Amino acid sequence: MGGMPLNDMPWWRWRSNVRSALHMLSDPAFQQETWLAGRPGYGDVTDAVYRLVEDTWLDNWSADKYIGTIFRDAQEAQLVDAAVLSVLRIMHQVGADAPVAAYMEHQAWPEAVGAAREAHLRLAVADGEDPDVPPHSLEVLAIMTGTADTPA
């Protein structure tokens, strides 16, 4: 694909988590077929938001802080900030434990999905990956980042 490899970033595991979350948050068909349908292995909206902000604290400060470690440039950081703010605004209004449908029915959800899509596209293309493949399961993400439990 000719892009940069994902693991060329110093904090590539964090980038992987952010990308996974943005990918799921940016795909309405995935949300319908997986989250709304309750398909196991992919978490839910809250899990995706947690991956966005768990290690990065993007709910407390700008993605600019991570240019050169998680994000390649200011444009990536700006797009991620916009997506995080859009999704968090909805989460604060409907509640972290709300059912998936509450997020998807929120009047601002299409805007949040669009912001996540812009960020996802930019990061995926920069990593040399096809942004339109379906999101990976959380198990595959754990294997990719080396965080999966290995058998004894």
Side-chain angles (χ1 to χ4, degrees):
M1 284 198 201
M4 302 290 285
L6 174 64
N7 63 2
D8 72 324
M9 299 300 297
W11 296 353
W12 65 272
R13 286 179 177 88
W14 288 12
R15 183 177 177 92
S16 297
N17 283 328
V18 168
R19 282 202 41 214
S20 168
L22 290 170
H23 195 169
M24 291 180 185
L25 291 165
S26 73
D27 187 338
F30 165 84
Q31 293 165 16
Q32 289 283 332
E33 298 164 6
T34 304
W35 284 345
L36 201 56
R39 188 170 150 206
Y42 293 86
D44 59 17
V45 177
T46 303
D47 295 319
V49 173
Y50 186 70
R51 281 193 310 284
L52 273 178
V53 301
E54 172 187 18
D55 293 321
T56 61
W57 287 47
L58 291 174
D59 52 339
N60 290 308
W61 52 61
S62 173
D64 285 345
K65 179 178 180 79
Y66 299 111
I67 294 172
T69 56
I70 299 174
F71 306 113
R72 296 185 191 284
D73 55 36
Q75 185 178 14
E76 280 188 0
Q78 290 167 350
L79 292 171
V80 169
D81 278 342
V84 169
L85 291 174
S86 292
V87 172
L88 286 178
R89 195 173 302 121
I90 296 168
M91 178 177 263
H92 290 193
Q93 290 175 9
V94 302
D97 294 327
V100 171
Y103 290 92
M104 295 175 66
E105 293 166 0
H106 191 280
Q107 64 188 18
W109 190 248
E111 177 186 327
V113 168
R117 178 72 180 165
E118 285 187 57
H120 164 65
L121 285 172
R122 173 77 181 190
L123 272 66
V125 169
D127 290 343
E129 295 182 11
D130 180 354
D132 294 320
V133 299
H136 295 298
S137 70
L138 298 180
E139 180 181 4
V140 170
L141 177 64
I143 291 167
M144 289 170 43
T145 60
T147 57
D149 292 331
T150 54

